[in-house]
Amino acid sequence: ALRHPKRVNRLILVVPRGYTPPQPRGRGYATACVEPQSRLLAERGLGCVLYTQLSNPTSNAIYQRIGYEPIAEVLTYRFA
């Protein structure tokens, strides 16, 4: 499942995370969703940001294969 991009500002959009259920994984569904959406945004002159888990080598490989580059690590802390 993949949602619409979320606008950060007038030039940057966040490509939402997708999810592929376990059984159909490995068939290219994530690439088929993320790559055209990212390409379309780039063709319109918009920057694309995609958040991923460093602990997931499969998704990271897919995103790098379609042109994304790691630029930063984001951490979230919750204080009780």
Side-chain angles (χ1 to χ4, degrees):
L2 190 67
R3 298 182 313 240
H4 294 289
K6 178 182 177 186
R7 186 170 292 276
V8 173
N9 62 38
R10 65 183 191 89
L11 296 175
I12 307 262
L13 286 106
V14 175
V15 176
R17 61 184 169 163
Y19 175 76
T20 305
Q23 287 188 343
R25 288 181 186 166
R27 297 181 186 160
Y29 294 126
T31 303
C33 290
V34 175
E35 194 272 334
Q37 186 178 56
S38 300
R39 185 175 359 100
L40 178 65
L41 295 172
E43 287 171 357
R44 293 181 178 177
L46 299 168
C48 300
V49 176
L50 188 138
Y51 293 97
T52 183
Q53 293 179 337
L54 291 175
S55 62
N56 188 334
T58 302
S59 66
N60 292 324
I62 290 168
Y63 299 141
Q64 288 183 28
R65 190 167 46 248
I66 63 175
Y68 281 90
E69 299 176 9
I71 58 168
E73 182 176 347
V74 177
L75 303 173
T76 301
Y77 294 96
R78 289 190 184 151
F79 296 96

